[in-house]
Amino acid sequence: VSAVVGMSDKVDPGAVPALAETGVPVFRVEMPKQPQPPYWRGTVFNQIGGTSWSRNPAVPHETSEPAGELVTQIIYPEPSSSRILICLDAARELSLPWVRMSPDGVYEYPRGLGRRMSYQAKSATDGLLRTAKPINRDFYLSVPDEISDRTRQLAEQIRDAGRTDQERLELAERHFLNGGYRYSSKDLPTGKDAIHQFLFVSRQGHCEFFASSLAILLRAAGVPARQ
């Protein structure tokens, strides 16, 4: 059994043992050549239940604003049932009428993307988001009861070794960089303990495993996180 890669309203690492990649395009874009491979932002998953991440639309009103030089893009999404607009991370402006922007920088087009269209986005790409007031930490700290004791122990080690959110983030990143992990779309961990299996046994998985595991570790270490 395998699933096909694509846009989704949730991520559920451990649901299938393999992924089948497809060459079908999601969008096309015109923009200046970037010095580093660009990161594209669509939706944001901010709540977890069991092993499944989804989006709670009731995002705290702590509007983020990207900083840095702006990069202009003309984006041509392929028709789909999605309402989420993809932009270079992170967008500051988007030229399309009736667009809704959530405080966490997710852009939604209420009319849907069921026809061919284009829109212009302007994004700051330095990776930093400025907020006018402190974020709602509690909103981004919940973790499922089902996470393993060993996962909690690793998170506690990260929490105790770092004094600040930034130090703990760097420690978590170092764990993945130095831990012998590798990308794979087959022979994936499955079941309720898939994250534990990924972190401590197989150490291989696709992007959902890396993003989910990092977010869970950070939250359990006291660092607000989403994916």
Side-chain angles (χ1 to χ4, degrees):
V1 178
S2 64
V4 177
V5 175
M7 295 289 289
S8 175
D9 59 358
K10 70 175 183 177
V11 294
D12 192 0
V16 294
L19 284 180
E21 297 183 358
T22 175
V24 177
V26 176
F27 66 96
R28 294 174 293 120
V29 62
E30 297 175 3
M31 70 176 190
K33 185 176 180 180
Q34 299 299 295
Q36 299 293 332
Y39 177 82
W40 297 94
R41 170 189 279 252
T43 191
V44 170
F45 301 116
N46 54 29
Q47 68 180 3
I48 181 171
T51 61
S52 178
W53 285 84
S54 59
R55 177 169 178 77
N56 181 348
V59 181
H61 289 280
E62 49 206 21
T63 302
S64 311
E65 182 164 313
E69 184 177 351
L70 296 183
V71 177
T72 300
Q73 316 120 65
I74 306 297
I75 300 170
Y76 305 86
E78 289 295 309
S80 73
S81 60
S82 176
R83 297 188 177 195
I84 301 298
L85 298 173
I86 297 175
C87 308
L88 192 63
D89 189 46
R92 286 184 60 179
E93 302 176 22
L94 201 148
S95 62
L96 196 63
W98 304 293
V99 167
R100 298 172 183 165
M101 187 194 79
S102 297
D104 58 356
V106 173
Y107 289 84
E108 182 180 0
Y109 188 50
R111 297 190 172 190
L113 305 177
R115 60 180 178 83
R116 294 203 173 273
M117 57 181 291
S118 66
Y119 54 93
Q120 176 179 283
K122 294 184 178 181
S123 305
T125 60
D126 68 356
L128 297 177
L129 295 175
R130 309 280 195 266
T131 56
K133 60 181 180 179
I135 65 171
N136 184 336
R137 298 180 68 89
D138 291 341
F139 185 81
Y140 297 104
L141 284 177
S142 64
V143 293
D145 295 333
E146 298 88 347
I147 67 173
S148 69
D149 291 340
R150 193 170 177 186
T151 302
R152 291 187 186 275
Q153 291 170 3
L154 176 58
E156 289 172 1
Q157 293 171 8
I158 292 171
R159 182 194 63 202
D160 294 342
R163 296 170 296 175
T164 64
D165 287 349
Q166 181 173 341
E167 289 183 0
R168 291 165 180 162
L169 172 59
E170 292 170 354
L171 288 167
E173 290 178 333
R174 199 176 306 158
H175 174 82
F176 286 97
L177 289 172
N178 301 331
Y181 295 90
R182 66 184 182 89
Y183 182 92
S184 177
S185 58
K186 60 182 181 179
D187 299 325
L188 302 173
T190 57
K192 293 182 179 181
D193 66 342
I195 294 298
H196 173 90
Q197 294 295 321
F198 167 72
L199 281 173
F200 305 110
V201 182
S202 71
R203 296 179 185 263
Q204 67 176 30
H206 51 76
C207 54
E208 290 182 5
F209 282 93
F210 283 91
S212 296
S213 299
L214 177 58
I216 287 173
L217 279 177
L218 288 173
R219 287 189 173 197
V223 181
R226 64 194 185 196
Q227 57 163 318

